[in-house]
């Protein structure tokens, strides 16, 4: 049994570069395979011969320990801002940005510790910050993870590592296991905002029945650029503007993962073909959980849960009906999907609507909500997860028809009842679809340079197509078109215009 030793230090603050030194076990019979994953590796040195074969580094074994030294780029552009930062005031990163772990460690069991790695020790060689908030904290300058299982390795990779001069708002007590820490630059957090954050945390405590769950939440300023530091079971770090609805949704989403990863610490929920279910639940609850915010805050920000599901369903219909090339795939095909854009759509648009449909249709009587999550929790984490068993428990005799239509085939989810013309004016709906077009473009253009971003005209602008020409073009079966028109005349018109401009070949 061996200990993995890592030391992390500053290399070049101006260029946002960290240095990592590590001592790893070795034997003469094996090649040590390190997984690079999301590490932006700038340089790599080793006292043993090695080769690179993406996404791995292969090091020749011997009877002596292996010493490696490498530099990594932090503060890389990401979906929700910059991933980490390095400065005199703050040093923040996620574990997956810095750690090169042996593949044998990555394959540790769900229920049993690694058979070769006794512990993982991390030393932080940084200037004297007043706050050190890290997973598996051992001392003020180190972490120690003993007898690592898969969930521990995942926590080391996904968690935030935060060093800085932070203000602690909530310290642990018997009744409060939420620790809130603020960046000195963040001056938007007052007592009512803190109370709303605590209400959100308490919502999940009650939902998961986990009164002892602990979470360190580090909130940063959003200027000059938003930062995501990482999202683990017990440490979450990100920029936060309490006057942006999206920031509350992201906070609720990350809190859901914190609780679910603690309640169900299994690799099953982080790998296809089950990952869409995890992300679908997280995105469903990022909206539902906001109901617990104060009426004053919801009114000020215009938070309305039904409005957010209407937005999701409108985007879903728009994408599915305008572009079958990119969006005609069933959820259970997830493990065969290689397109990051398709996975983004599946996880954050399509999957939460499956959860919504099941909760609205099968959580009967209505006083028994959260049917999907409660079924997951009742299954527990003592045996491998079975999607078939899970859906059978929820849907009973209807499981085969549901699975055939909506899991293994790409049937259109019938959430027409989400229609409500009061949520968006025609102009607001088109503005939102244009923003969604930008998101789709940002997802797909990197893998398909020919991908085109549509620009939808506002309803008050005269269309360049005559009604007769539009009526000759069908974007779906007439019965579906009629349902779309009843659901939203603006969406119907947008789809007609798209088909007139870009008729199928």
């Amino acid at each position: 049994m061996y200990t993995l030793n890592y030391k992390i230090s500053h290399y070049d603050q101006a260029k946002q570069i960290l240095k990592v030194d590590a001592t790893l076990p070795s034997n003469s019979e094996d090649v040590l395979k390190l997984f690079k994953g999301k590490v932006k590796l700038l340089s790599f040195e080793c006292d043993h011969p090695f080769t690179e074969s993406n996404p791995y580094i292969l090091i020749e074994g011997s009877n002596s320990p292996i010493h490696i030294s490498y530099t990594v780029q932090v503060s890389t552009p990401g979906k929700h801002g910059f991933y980490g930062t390095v400065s005199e005031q703050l040093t923040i990163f996620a574990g997956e940005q810095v750690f090169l772990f042996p593949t044998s460690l990555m394959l540790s069991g769900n229920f049993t510790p690694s058979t070769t790695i006794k512990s993982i020790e991390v030393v932080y060689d940084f200037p004297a910050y007043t706050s050190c908030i890290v997973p598996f904290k051992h001392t003020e300058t180190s972490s120690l993870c003993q007898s690592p299982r898969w969930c521990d390795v995942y926590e080391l990779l996904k968690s935030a590592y935060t060093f800085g001069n932070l203000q602690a708002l909530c310290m642990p007590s018997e009744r409060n296991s939420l620790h809130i820490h603020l960046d000195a630059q963040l001056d938007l957090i007052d007592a009512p905002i803190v109370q709303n954050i605590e209400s959100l945390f308490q919502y999940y405590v009650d939902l998961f029945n986990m009164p002892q769950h602990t979470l360190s939440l580090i909130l940063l300023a959003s200027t000059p650029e938003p930062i995501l530091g990482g999202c683990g079971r017990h440490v979450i770090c990100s920029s936060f503007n309490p006057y942006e609805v999206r920031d509350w949704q992201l906070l609720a989403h990350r809190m859901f993962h914190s609780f679910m990863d603690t309640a169900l610490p299994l690799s099953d929920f982080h790998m296809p073909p089950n990952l869409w279910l995890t992300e679908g639940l997280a995105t469903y609850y990022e909206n539902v959980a906001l109901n617990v915010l104060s009426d004053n805050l919801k009114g000020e920000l215009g938070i309305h849960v039904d409005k957010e599901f209407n937005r999701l369903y409108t985007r879903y219909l728009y994408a599915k009906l305008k572009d079958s090339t990119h969006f005609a795939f069933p959820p259970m095909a997830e493990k065969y999907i290689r397109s990051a854009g398709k996975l983004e759509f599946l996880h954050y648009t399509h999957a939460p609507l499956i959860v919504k449909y099941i909760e609205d249709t099968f959580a009967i009587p209505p006083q028994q909500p959260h049917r999907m999550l409660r079924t997951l929790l009742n299954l527990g984490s003592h045996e491998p997860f079975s999607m078939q068993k899970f859906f059978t428990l929820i849907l009973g005799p209807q499981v085969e028809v549901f699975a055939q239509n909506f899991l293994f085939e790409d049937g259109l989810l019938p959430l027409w009842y989400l229609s409500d013309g009061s949520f968006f004016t025609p102009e607001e709906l088109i503005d939102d679809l244009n923003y969604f077009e930008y998101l789709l473009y940002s997802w797909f253009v990197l893998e398909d340079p020919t991908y085109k971003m549509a620009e939808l005209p506002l309803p008050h602008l005269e269309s360049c197509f005559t009604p007769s020409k539009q009526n000759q073009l069908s974007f779906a079966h007439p019965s579906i078109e009629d349902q779309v028109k009843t659901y939203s005349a603006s969406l119907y018109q947008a789809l007609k215009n798209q088909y007139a401009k870009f008729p199928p070949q």
Side-chain angles (χ1 to χ4, degrees):
M1 298 287 282
Y2 301 94
T3 294
L4 302 181
N5 297 100
Y6 292 83
K7 184 178 77 170
I8 305 172
S9 58
H10 288 156
Y11 182 79
D12 189 326
Q13 288 188 13
K15 294 182 178 179
Q16 308 275 304
I17 299 174
L18 295 176
K19 181 183 179 185
V20 184
D21 297 287
T23 302
L24 310 173
S26 175
N27 67 69
S28 58
E29 297 178 359
D30 295 324
V31 171
L32 182 67
K33 183 185 290 188
L34 302 179
F35 180 62
K36 290 196 284 187
K38 295 184 178 181
V39 174
K40 302 295 183 184
L41 198 61
L42 300 178
S43 66
F44 183 85
E45 298 176 357
C46 181
D47 62 357
H48 288 55
F50 69 93
T51 57
E52 292 193 48
S53 178
N54 281 334
Y56 304 106
I57 296 175
L58 310 176
I59 304 176
E60 292 185 16
S62 74
N63 291 322
S64 60
I66 295 171
H67 301 282
I68 62 175
S69 181
Y70 57 95
T71 56
V72 298
Q73 182 69 62
V74 179
S75 193
T76 55
K79 186 166 62 171
H80 300 300
F82 281 82
Y83 207 12
T85 187
V86 177
S87 70
E88 291 184 3
Q89 292 75 36
L90 287 171
T91 293
I92 300 170
F93 54 87
E96 62 187 355
Q97 291 182 282
V98 300
F99 289 120
L100 296 178
F101 281 153
T103 54
S104 60
L105 180 65
M106 309 283 289
L107 298 175
S108 299
N110 284 325
F111 311 110
T112 56
S114 168
T115 57
T116 58
I117 306 300
K118 178 177 65 175
S119 60
I120 304 167
E121 183 177 9
V122 186
V123 173
Y124 310 106
D125 186 16
F126 295 132
Y129 294 116
T130 59
S131 302
C132 166
I133 306 168
V134 295
F136 302 101
K137 189 172 182 178
H138 182 55
T139 70
E140 286 302 313
T141 58
S142 69
S143 293
L144 180 62
C145 175
Q146 296 180 315
S147 303
R149 298 169 297 157
W150 179 89
C151 61
D152 300 321
V153 179
Y154 189 77
E155 173 75 353
L156 284 166
L157 291 171
K158 287 296 182 181
S159 185
Y161 296 71
T162 306
F163 307 85
N165 302 317
L166 304 173
Q167 176 188 0
L169 291 187
C170 298
M171 298 307 292
S173 67
E174 290 184 3
R175 297 186 57 214
N176 182 15
S177 51
L178 173 66
H179 318 221
I180 301 177
H181 303 265
L182 299 184
D183 172 13
Q185 304 301 314
L186 185 60
D187 55 5
L188 298 174
I189 307 296
D190 56 17
I193 295 298
V194 172
Q195 290 171 4
N196 277 288
I197 295 172
E198 291 175 334
S199 295
L200 197 58
F201 180 78
Q202 189 60 45
Y203 172 83
Y204 284 119
V205 167
D206 297 338
L207 181 65
F208 283 85
N209 190 25
M210 291 172 54
Q212 302 304 315
H213 183 63
T214 59
L215 175 63
S216 291
L217 180 62
I218 303 104
L219 302 178
L220 311 172
S222 298
T223 56
E225 296 290 347
I227 295 170
L228 174 62
C231 175
R233 285 181 293 170
H234 301 294
V235 185
I236 297 173
C237 175
S238 72
S239 293
F240 181 69
N241 183 341
Y243 301 104
E244 291 288 342
V245 176
R246 187 65 188 133
D247 283 21
W248 284 102
Q249 290 173 322
L250 290 172
L251 179 58
H253 188 107
R254 291 161 184 159
M255 279 190 180
F256 177 89
H257 280 303
S258 168
F259 278 83
M260 182 166 171
D261 288 355
T262 303
L264 299 170
L266 304 178
S267 60
D268 307 55
F269 298 110
H270 297 278
M271 298 177 184
N274 304 327
L275 180 56
W276 70 265
L277 175 61
T278 304
E279 291 299 344
L281 285 165
T283 307
Y284 173 82
Y285 280 103
E286 80 176 33
N287 292 297
V288 171
L290 298 195
N291 261 332
V292 303
L293 300 181
S294 69
D295 290 341
N296 286 342
L297 184 61
K298 286 188 290 187
E300 183 177 354
L301 301 185
I303 293 174
H304 193 302
V305 172
D306 290 341
K307 177 181 179 180
E308 295 308 314
F309 283 113
N310 173 274
R311 186 199 307 274
L312 271 181
Y313 191 54
T314 300
R315 291 179 175 185
Y316 165 85
L317 290 172
Y318 176 74
K320 287 285 188 181
L321 295 175
K322 78 131 187 171
D323 187 355
S324 60
T325 302
H326 288 91
F327 301 106
F329 55 87
M332 292 307 293
E334 181 183 24
K335 72 177 183 178
Y336 304 109
I337 298 173
R338 296 295 175 263
S339 163
K342 290 182 178 182
L343 290 174
E344 286 281 326
F345 178 79
L346 172 61
H347 291 169
Y348 308 113
T349 304
H350 188 168
L353 292 171
I354 295 177
V355 178
K356 174 68 172 170
Y357 180 53
I358 289 176
E359 290 295 324
D360 289 351
T361 308
F362 298 96
I364 299 172
Q367 57 267 34
Q368 294 182 351
H370 314 298
R371 179 144 188 188
M372 293 185 74
L373 182 60
R374 295 198 191 288
T375 301
L376 272 183
L377 296 175
N378 287 337
L379 284 173
S381 59
H382 304 297
E383 59 184 68
F385 174 69
S386 165
M387 194 75 91
Q388 181 177 356
K389 180 178 180 180
F390 170 67
F391 277 105
T392 299
L393 287 171
I394 296 171
L395 305 175
Q398 300 180 67
V399 65
E400 289 190 15
V401 173
F402 183 91
Q404 180 178 347
N405 288 335
F406 304 119
L407 300 182
F408 293 96
E409 296 293 338
D410 189 36
L412 200 65
L413 291 166
L415 281 77
W416 307 108
Y417 58 86
L418 295 177
S419 172
D420 191 325
S422 68
F423 289 146
F424 299 97
T425 66
E427 289 79 13
E428 288 170 338
L429 185 144
I430 296 302
D431 279 344
D432 187 73
L433 289 180
N434 276 322
Y435 175 69
F436 188 51
E437 275 285 358
Y438 168 75
L439 290 180
L440 297 178
Y441 175 79
S442 69
W443 298 343
F444 285 106
V445 71
L446 296 177
E447 56 201 54
D448 178 9
T450 66
Y451 186 88
K452 304 294 184 184
M453 180 174 65
E455 294 184 22
L456 305 181
L458 293 174
H460 65 271
L461 298 178
E462 184 177 354
S463 173
C464 59
F465 303 100
T466 64
S468 61
K469 182 175 181 180
Q470 289 181 350
N471 291 336
Q472 295 170 3
L473 296 167
S474 297
F475 58 81
H477 187 276
S479 63
I480 297 296
E481 288 200 346
D482 288 344
Q483 287 177 301
V484 172
K485 191 172 185 179
T486 302
Y487 172 80
S488 168
S490 298
L491 174 60
Y492 173 85
Q493 189 65 41
L495 287 167
K496 281 289 190 181
N497 283 346
Q498 281 297 95
Y499 260 66
K501 288 182 181 179
F502 307 106
Q505 301 297 317

